[in-house]
Amino acid sequence: MISCGGRSKPIGVYYGGTDLAPSVYYYVFEENGSMRVSQGKLETENCRTEGYWSTDEKGNITITGLNNPNCNFMSQLNGTYMICDDPQCIPSGRGYIKDDIRIWPNKK
C-alpha cells in the first residue's frame, strides 16, 4: 500500500456491502486512480462496472463513474466514503463508510 499523509491509499482488493449484507461487492483499486467493482464472487465479476477513485487530504475516498445499465444499483456506490476507524466498522474495524455501505481491505 502507498502512504498518504499517514494513511494508506486503497490499493488492491477491498470488500464491501451494507450493514445487513457485508460481503456483497468486490472493489479493485488501481494505483493510477482507476477501479472496478463487481457483485458476488470476485472471480465471476457479476454486474462489473469501472470507474475512478481519489482521496482527499484526510484520506477519504471519492468514487465516480460507476454505472452499469444492466445493474442500475451499482451507481449507488458512487460518492464519498469517510474513513472509519471505529470498531463498529465491519469486519476489521478500519475501513470506509458512506451511508450504510462499508468498504474494508482484504486482509490475508
Side-chain angles (χ1 to χ4, degrees):
M1 293 219 210
I2 297 173
S3 178
C4 174
R7 300 290 312 204
S8 296
K9 289 186 179 181
I11 305 298
V13 176
Y14 277 61
Y15 298 106
T18 63
D19 295 342
L20 299 176
S23 195
V24 173
Y25 302 108
Y26 293 86
Y27 298 73
V28 179
F29 292 91
E30 303 290 343
E31 288 186 46
N32 65 2
S34 65
M35 67 176 301
R36 69 181 189 271
V37 181
S38 57
Q39 180 188 35
K41 294 183 179 180
L42 184 61
E43 302 81 30
T44 61
E45 296 195 352
N46 293 329
C47 292
R48 179 182 170 167
T49 185
E50 296 180 4
Y52 304 94
W53 66 272
S54 62
T55 56
D56 64 16
E57 65 280 351
K58 295 178 182 178
N60 299 318
I61 302 171
T62 298
I63 295 174
T64 59
L66 298 178
N67 182 32
N68 183 323
N70 295 319
C71 304
N72 291 331
F73 58 88
M74 294 298 276
S75 63
Q76 75 180 349
L77 303 177
N78 289 309
T80 299
Y81 292 76
M82 309 301 281
I83 289 174
C84 184
D85 290 325
D86 189 304
Q88 298 293 325
C89 287
I90 55 175
S92 63
R94 181 177 176 184
Y96 302 90
I97 187 168
K98 176 183 83 90
D99 301 323
D100 67 341
I101 300 171
R102 299 163 193 252
I103 302 173
W104 61 91
N106 177 16
K107 303 256 183 188
K108 289 190 176 186

